[in-house]
Amino acid sequence: MQYEHILIRYGELALKKRNRGDFEAQLVRNIKKSLQAHPNVQVERVYGRLYLALNGEPYEQVAEKLKKVFGIYSFSPTRFLKTFELETIQQAALEVLRDVEPVPRTFKVTVKRPNKQFPYRSQEMNHLVGSYILRNTENIKVDVHHPEVELVVEIRIEGVFISCRTIRGMGGLPTGSSGKAMLMLSGGIDSPVAGWMTMKRGVRIEGVHFHSYPFTSERAKQKVIDLARILSQYSGGMKLHIVPFTEIQTQIRQHCPEHYMITIMRRFMMRITERLAQKHGALAIATGESLGQVASQTMESMYTINSAIHTPVIRPLIAMDKEEIMAISRRIGTYETSILPYEDCCTIFVPKSPVTKPKPEQAEKFERALDVERLIEEAVNGVETIWIEFGDEKVEHQNFF
């Protein structure tokens, strides 16, 4: 069947009351951006929901894009009628039900009638449409409590909308409705998942990756670009800031005790990311840390690392175990790229016995052997920024070495 409209439902946006209009407007902008390849699609706002008029655009392709837009709780392909004739509505409802695969054994009709000028009340229409389907369909019966299919007929001023298939969306809040954060994006499994979960709460992200050439290779850098590209399909595009980190790691290795190297390195990363956040208007830093997973993610380590900055840190994975994180990674499409065996700066110069309960005063003491401000300033000035969109196979690079 050729569907003309898609009904879009959003869950928690409906609870925003006086602010709901702003959230809806952001969702509309995000939908339009995700459907740039389908210019004929029109977005129609009605109270509490959205309708897309496809205008000849292929439903299947549009639906795949909508599945990745945060803020959409669910959507349904919808048959639209401009006529209010009862017989036409009954026939269209039957056709919509017959389009369901596999063929349902039970169904329920739910009629909504915002158009109070329509002559039949909702309960009457439930019986008129349901009885018509029963007369013209074999091996099916009504189940008002637990139906396999719910056939929804919505009678509005502008016409009649009929649907019975519901596709789950991403849920959450529209990306961009909750400000911006800088995502510390490594080449591992955790940080892309943290970025995805941060975006799900309406936060627009920009990636920050620390690259230690020649200790880390161009393939490792490309791996992170590929991860950012996968994430960008959920956000409509994102910036990736690649920070030259070789000099800082070399200085830390030469002048700081081995067991504190990871702690001091992470403190530098936080300081640099904070500078970039201030420069690009971000209000928080997002990381893929999970409590107790590695030495730098103990409570004491995170406290000591956090003490180097004043910017709030978002840790959406903090209470999750590795299996839970991997399951989300597979779901969002980053897992296969994350496990490619290319090193990142967090895996080189790893001490044999990193401190698990570092103290801020000890870290500050060891950092006095370093020209902290100069190293941070040079790293920030050497950042390479790339704009990445899903589907772009080529990205222009600026060599900063």
Side-chain angles (χ1 to χ4, degrees):
M1 177 183 294
Q2 180 66 42
Y3 289 101
E4 302 92 350
H5 282 69
I6 297 176
L7 164 63
I8 294 178
R9 307 175 191 86
Y10 37 86
E12 59 186 297
L13 264 68
L15 304 177
K16 296 301 178 182
K17 296 183 179 179
R18 286 177 295 180
N19 295 324
R20 184 169 67 183
D22 295 335
F23 284 86
E24 287 179 345
Q26 184 65 57
L27 178 58
V28 169
R29 288 193 290 270
N30 293 351
I31 290 172
K32 288 181 177 179
K33 185 172 180 61
S34 73
L35 298 179
Q36 286 179 335
H38 305 283
N40 294 324
V41 175
Q42 293 179 307
V43 183
E44 303 171 5
R45 290 176 67 176
V46 296
Y47 186 78
R49 65 196 62 199
L50 300 172
Y51 281 102
L52 300 189
L54 294 178
N55 296 316
E57 296 284 359
Y59 163 75
E60 291 78 10
Q61 294 179 24
V62 172
E64 284 303 311
K65 300 286 180 62
L66 294 179
K67 289 177 184 177
K68 296 173 182 176
V69 177
F70 288 116
I72 296 177
Y73 177 75
S74 67
F75 61 91
S76 298
T78 303
R79 179 79 180 273
F80 174 64
L81 305 175
K82 291 184 178 180
T83 178
F84 294 97
E85 294 180 358
L86 175 60
E87 185 176 349
T88 303
I89 295 172
Q90 291 172 320
Q91 291 173 349
L94 178 62
E95 292 172 3
V96 169
L97 186 66
R98 285 175 171 172
D99 194 49
V100 176
E101 293 182 357
V103 178
R105 293 167 296 179
T106 61
F107 77 104
K108 169 187 176 181
V109 177
T110 300
V111 176
K112 301 177 182 179
R113 192 177 65 108
N115 181 359
K116 301 306 180 185
Q117 297 178 349
F118 187 74
Y120 300 98
R121 294 182 178 274
S122 297
Q123 196 60 35
E124 290 180 273
M125 282 296 292
N126 287 342
H127 292 296
L128 289 169
V129 173
S131 60
Y132 182 85
I133 290 173
L134 289 172
R135 290 195 304 271
N136 291 277
T137 308
E138 295 180 353
N139 302 319
I140 195 170
K141 63 181 180 179
V142 173
D143 183 344
V144 296
H145 299 295
H146 304 288
E148 292 182 14
V149 170
E150 181 180 14
L151 181 68
V152 179
V153 180
E154 188 161 359
I155 302 168
R156 308 185 67 87
I157 296 295
E158 58 270 26
V160 180
F161 298 86
I162 306 171
S163 62
C164 67
R165 291 168 54 199
T166 299
I167 296 93
R168 287 296 301 269
M170 286 282 108
L173 298 174
T175 302
S177 63
S178 301
K180 184 197 292 184
M182 309 302 284
L183 170 68
M184 296 177 69
L185 183 61
S186 71
I189 294 172
D190 300 341
S191 59
V193 174
W196 182 85
M197 293 182 69
T198 302
M199 286 191 290
K200 188 174 182 179
R201 299 313 305 157
V203 179
R204 191 171 299 283
I205 63 171
E206 294 185 9
V208 179
H209 177 66
F210 294 88
H211 185 53
S212 293
Y213 182 85
F215 302 123
T216 54
S217 66
E218 285 297 311
R219 291 183 300 179
K221 176 181 172 183
Q222 184 61 46
K223 174 183 175 180
V224 173
I225 293 172
D226 292 340
L227 286 171
R229 183 177 290 116
I230 295 169
L231 287 178
S232 72
Q233 68 186 306
Y234 301 98
S235 65
M238 64 180 288
K239 287 181 181 178
L240 175 63
H241 307 283
I242 301 176
V243 181
F245 205 56
T246 308
E247 177 65 14
I248 291 175
Q249 282 198 289
T250 300
Q251 291 293 316
I252 293 172
R253 187 185 186 192
Q254 291 176 353
H255 299 290
C256 297
E258 183 182 21
H259 64 299
Y260 258 81
M261 281 174 53
I262 296 295
T263 300
I264 294 172
M265 181 187 73
R266 294 289 295 178
R267 283 166 61 90
F268 267 94
M269 288 179 171
M270 283 291 189
R271 291 182 177 114
I272 292 167
T273 304
E274 182 177 58
R275 297 282 180 91
L276 292 174
Q278 294 167 349
K279 183 177 180 180
H280 295 277
L283 300 178
I285 296 169
T287 78
E289 292 165 300
S290 173
L291 188 60
Q293 192 173 118
V294 294
S296 64
Q297 296 176 23
T298 63
M299 190 75 78
E300 293 84 356
S301 288
M302 287 189 285
Y303 177 79
T304 298
I305 292 166
N306 265 28
S307 69
I309 63 170
H310 301 287
T311 302
V313 179
I314 299 171
R315 294 181 171 94
L317 312 186
I318 195 67
M320 299 177 68
D321 63 36
K322 198 67 177 184
E323 290 300 321
E324 292 172 306
I325 298 168
M326 289 168 61
I328 297 176
S329 179
R330 292 187 178 97
R331 175 187 168 195
I332 66 177
T334 57
Y335 180 78
E336 294 300 329
T337 301
S338 291
I339 63 174
L340 292 174
Y342 303 137
E343 71 293 328
D344 62 45
C345 66
C346 294
T347 61
I348 60 175
F349 305 148
V350 177
K352 294 180 180 179
S353 301
V355 62
T356 58
K357 296 182 179 181
K359 304 292 185 183
E361 56 271 19
Q362 281 292 96
E364 292 167 5
K365 173 186 174 182
F366 297 140
E367 287 172 351
R368 293 191 192 111
L370 306 171
D371 190 343
V372 174
E373 186 57 35
R374 177 187 67 81
L375 290 170
I376 292 173
E377 193 69 24
E378 288 180 356
V380 171
N381 290 338
V383 166
E384 173 192 13
T385 297
I386 301 170
W387 175 257
I388 295 174
E389 290 192 23
F390 186 72
D392 289 347
E393 295 301 328
K394 295 182 179 179
V395 179
E396 296 298 325
H397 298 281
Q398 178 183 344
N399 194 345
F400 52 76
F401 301 114

